Amino acid sequence: MKKVLIALDYNATAQKIAEEGYALAKSMNAQAILLHVVSDPAYYSSDIYSPLMGYDSFTDFKFIGTTSVEKLREAALDYLDKSKQHLHDATIQAVVKEGDFGEQILETAAEINADIIVMGTHSRRGLEKILVGSVAEKVLRHSTIPLFIIPTKIFEEKEK
């Protein structure tokens, strides 16, 4: 394996996803590529995010209150740069895409010829799954390469 695509959202569990994906890449002497997909600015709300990797508090994060997709892209690049610093590896590639989360993860994997996709799943159920959907499920259904899906529910429960 030569390339590991690590898809990160802004959930507090993204740190664990980044660490696990990076460890997988390093164990195979593969290149790690961090990906964040920017969505509709209305999606971003301080109500749904906890403190993020590389930031002292959520209020330090740059996207709060913005309606500009370009500012969201800049904030995402800053977030991925802080993730690279957290992993202590400046050689990690950072990619920001815009659009549907699942589609962009799949398209990016194809573009970079990724050998595996690493991502988390929030294990949503019921109405939340209907309203928000399951990115991991969509990627799983349509991927032509292996996935390493990390259940983040156990990390979320430990934080409570």
Side-chain angles (χ1 to χ4, degrees):
M1 294 208 180
K2 295 180 182 176
K3 293 184 181 180
V4 176
L5 179 63
I6 306 166
L8 300 176
D9 61 11
Y10 291 137
N11 191 286
T13 60
Q15 178 174 337
K16 189 65 175 168
I17 306 304
E19 291 168 353
E20 294 289 332
Y22 182 72
L24 178 67
K26 286 317 235 178
S27 73
M28 298 183 298
N29 291 321
Q31 179 184 8
I33 299 107
L34 301 178
L35 169 69
H36 178 77
V37 179
V38 173
S39 186
D40 178 357
Y43 178 80
Y44 299 92
S45 159
S46 61
D47 295 339
I48 61 172
Y49 296 107
S50 301
L52 301 167
M53 172 175 33
Y55 296 90
D56 291 332
S57 72
F58 182 76
T59 56
D60 293 337
F61 200 57
K62 296 179 180 180
F63 70 66
I64 293 179
T66 188
T67 57
S68 163
V69 172
E70 189 53 41
K71 288 195 188 278
L72 290 172
R73 288 181 65 79
E74 289 173 20
L77 276 173
D78 186 59
Y79 170 61
L80 294 178
D81 283 342
K82 290 206 183 286
S83 299
K84 288 167 43 174
Q85 291 171 16
H86 174 79
L87 297 169
H88 306 291
D89 189 344
T91 66
I92 297 171
Q93 184 180 348
V95 177
V96 175
K97 295 290 183 139
E98 180 184 337
D100 178 80
F101 300 116
E103 289 174 15
Q104 290 304 315
I105 291 168
L106 292 164
E107 285 180 23
T108 303
E111 286 171 12
I112 67 168
N113 295 315
D115 296 296
I116 190 168
I117 299 168
V118 177
M119 61 189 300
T121 180
H122 300 293
S123 302
R124 293 186 172 104
R125 302 240 188 266
L127 184 59
E128 185 180 26
K129 184 174 179 180
I130 292 168
L131 296 174
V132 179
S134 172
V135 176
E137 184 179 333
K138 183 175 190 173
V139 174
L140 179 61
R141 263 188 281 132
H142 299 287
S143 181
T144 58
I145 63 173
L147 300 177
F148 179 29
I149 299 177
I150 301 167
T152 61
K153 188 173 185 174
I154 59 171
F155 304 118
E156 291 167 349
E157 289 172 356
K158 285 181 184 177
E159 291 176 3
K160 291 181 180 178

